[in-house]
Amino acid sequence: MSPPTAEQTLPASEEDRKLPWRDTLKVYLEPATLRMLALGFSAGLPLLLVLGTLSFRLREAGIDRTTIGYLSWVGLAYAFKWVWAPLVDRLPLPPLTTLLGRRRGWLLLAQAIVITGLVGMAMNDPRAGLHPLIWCALLVAFGSATQDIALDAFRIESAETRKQAALAAAYQTGYRLAMIWAGAGVLWVAAWAEVSGSGGYQNAAWRTAYLVMAASMAVGVLTVLLSPEPARRVLAKPKNAAEWLQSVLVEPFADFIRRYKWQAALILALIAIYRISDVVMGIMANPFYVDMGFTKDEVATVSKIFGVIMTLVGAFVGGVLSMRFGVMRVLMLGAVLSAASNLLFAWLATRGHDLTALVAVVSADNLAGGIASAAFIAYLSSLTNINYSATQYALFSSMMLLLPKFIAGYSGAFVDAYGYGTFFTATALLGVPVLLLVALAARARQASEPRS
């Protein structure tokens, strides 16, 4: 099959954008979209448990901020998933592939790895030594990254290009709901499991919370078992090992360069820094809440109620606007909102323990994140060739995290040196170059569109 044309790779043509609102919204009720809601939950659950929520747990256990910042490099597993993505894209897993199909077989294996790692994190106390906990967190991150590879391919192959924005919005909604459950829900469970009157860090409560999170992965497992495998694409058999390596390891990247030529560098630069403000800031958010005196119950309640509402609104609005007005316009809107929401955290740092201010800031941040993420996922999906969907999407989503995660590792040291207010302002300023790259990418895409 030949690579997609310019029309095929665009998320929505001008004609698609003029669909009646009723037809535009009806796609959210289709089975493929609803499946992505549940699978998005499975994908989003592990992320905070090895990053944001873990940082709350470690700070409460007395681990210093600089160490917490460096431990965020566990998340770099997501940034290097392109290394094994070609294997997930093409390698069968007998007997799972025979029983479930290539995509669902890899999804089930990855989910089993995540569950195993979460149980390990539950059983280890950071005060007794960080190394066992870190190795279990790495196992979760590896399994989660592998799940992302298979799931991105599953999503891209489940519907035509015109519907990718809706699938991305559903996926992002499920993803954000899982992040709230893994961020707020885990705090609620840990607070509920605490022994009253004991005070301080209680590892038994965190053990219960992480075991509940491991059980929550059942949502993704059941969805995989009950979902149909996407239509299998018949691929030409390689003549020898060299040809197989060429098709698996080299061709997915060469195809991208051939299709986008000089624009490839611009696209990759945009992907590399689009979420930099959010990712760098996010590592210190939970230690910030602890240091500001917010309790687990307060943070969980605010995230659960206002975070859920604004996340759903943001993801839905981002998906609808992307289909209606085009991805690039919403991509710019998301970049502006994401950077601006970090300035609200700088303002919150001056308020101390102000619950009303926390509600306002968390609400705005979740709204901005939902809009930006829905548009960004649709944009990344539009760049892939369906023949190499898992590998190419893994490359894009890996690049999205590599630089931000690396910089985020120094976030704790930065806060120790300059304070939270300066840190949040600096993360907002990191988003300024993103605006320029979005504008350049939009102009390049418009120039490449076929003239009617």
Side-chain angles (χ1 to χ4, degrees):
M1 179 175 289
S2 60
T5 63
E7 293 97 334
Q8 290 172 312
T9 57
L10 289 172
S13 68
E14 292 297 329
E15 182 180 353
D16 292 331
R17 295 174 198 164
K18 294 177 182 177
L19 284 173
W21 281 107
R22 181 178 178 182
D23 292 341
T24 302
L25 300 177
K26 193 165 58 176
V27 69
Y28 284 93
L29 299 177
E30 294 181 357
T33 308
L34 297 177
R35 282 194 293 270
M36 290 316 306
L37 182 69
L39 291 173
F41 182 90
S42 178
L45 187 72
L47 183 63
L48 283 184
L49 297 175
V50 297
L51 294 172
T53 300
L54 180 60
S55 68
F56 194 112
R57 179 183 181 185
L58 295 176
R59 186 59 177 159
E60 192 176 67
I63 308 300
D64 64 271
R65 286 185 296 245
T66 298
T67 300
I68 292 172
Y70 292 144
L71 289 180
S72 71
W73 282 337
V74 167
L76 285 174
Y78 294 91
F80 287 100
K81 62 186 177 182
W82 58 271
V83 174
W84 66 93
L87 299 179
V88 178
D89 207 1
R90 299 297 179 95
L91 191 68
L93 284 174
L96 289 178
T97 300
T98 303
L99 295 173
L100 300 174
R102 184 173 39 161
R103 301 305 184 201
R104 292 196 300 151
W106 274 102
L107 279 171
L108 193 63
L109 174 64
Q111 289 165 349
I113 294 173
V114 170
I115 293 170
T116 302
L118 289 177
V119 171
M121 291 181 71
M123 305 309 293
N124 284 282
D125 187 341
R127 297 171 302 179
L130 286 174
H131 286 92
L133 187 65
I134 293 170
W135 281 112
C136 290
L138 282 170
L139 184 64
V140 174
F142 173 77
S144 177
T146 304
Q147 179 183 219
D148 288 349
I149 296 168
L151 183 50
D152 290 330
F154 184 91
R155 173 174 50 81
I156 292 168
E157 295 170 3
S158 293
E160 66 266 31
T161 302
R162 182 178 64 84
K163 296 182 179 179
Q164 284 299 322
L167 263 63
Y171 169 90
Q172 187 60 31
T173 299
Y175 196 97
R176 287 276 172 169
L177 287 172
M179 290 181 72
I180 290 169
W181 176 234
V186 73
L187 295 181
W188 261 350
V189 174
W192 168 80
E194 286 180 341
V195 177
S196 60
S198 297
Y201 177 79
Q202 298 184 31
N203 193 66
W206 283 104
R207 180 187 303 123
T208 300
Y210 266 75
L211 289 175
V212 169
M213 294 301 112
S216 299
M217 285 295 295
V219 172
V221 172
L222 289 175
T223 303
V224 168
L225 293 176
L226 297 175
S227 296
E229 177 78 358
R232 185 172 180 178
R233 306 188 69 78
V234 180
L235 304 171
K237 282 193 173 183
K239 298 176 182 177
N240 49 51
E243 187 174 301
W244 185 83
L245 289 173
Q246 171 73 21
S247 65
V248 170
L249 299 178
V250 177
E251 189 56 28
F253 307 108
D255 167 79
F256 176 73
I257 300 297
R258 281 197 304 268
R259 284 190 292 124
Y260 291 101
K261 300 180 175 61
W262 67 268
Q263 292 183 31
L266 173 61
I267 291 170
L268 294 177
L270 173 58
I271 292 171
I273 68 170
Y274 184 75
R275 299 310 307 273
I276 193 167
S277 292
D278 285 347
V279 173
V280 175
M281 185 278 290
I283 297 301
M284 282 294 112
N286 276 317
F288 170 67
Y289 298 148
V290 174
D291 292 340
M292 290 294 104
F294 293 107
T295 66
K296 288 193 285 289
D297 277 331
E298 288 173 337
V299 174
T301 300
V302 171
S303 299
K304 178 68 174 176
I305 298 175
F306 299 96
V308 165
I309 293 173
M310 300 312 290
T311 293
L312 291 173
V313 171
F316 179 78
V317 169
V320 170
L321 292 181
S322 294
M323 289 192 296
R324 189 73 182 178
F325 302 109
V327 167
M328 300 310 294
R329 290 188 179 94
V330 185
L331 209 61
M332 177 65 82
L333 174 64
V336 172
L337 294 178
S338 294
S341 66
N342 285 15
L343 294 176
L344 294 178
F345 277 92
W347 170 75
L348 183 61
T350 68
R351 306 287 297 177
H353 186 271
D354 186 336
L355 195 57
T356 302
L358 179 66
V359 169
V361 171
V362 168
S363 298
D365 185 57
N366 279 274
L367 176 65
I371 292 173
S373 295
F376 193 50
I377 291 171
Y379 176 66
L380 296 185
S381 301
S382 75
L383 299 173
T384 62
N385 180 343
I386 198 168
N387 287 330
Y388 312 107
S389 53
T391 302
Q392 289 184 349
Y393 197 95
L395 171 65
F396 301 150
S397 55
S398 295
M399 289 196 65
M400 172 185 73
L401 293 173
L402 182 57
L403 181 61
K405 289 292 184 191
F406 178 75
I407 294 175
Y410 298 101
S411 58
F414 190 98
V415 171
D416 284 340
Y418 301 104
Y420 282 114
T422 303
F423 169 71
F424 292 133
T425 302
T427 60
L429 293 175
L430 286 174
V432 173
V434 177
L435 306 181
L436 176 61
L437 288 177
V438 172
L440 292 174
R443 181 176 296 182
R445 170 170 280 200
Q446 186 176 24
S448 66
E449 286 186 17
R451 305 289 182 182
S452 56

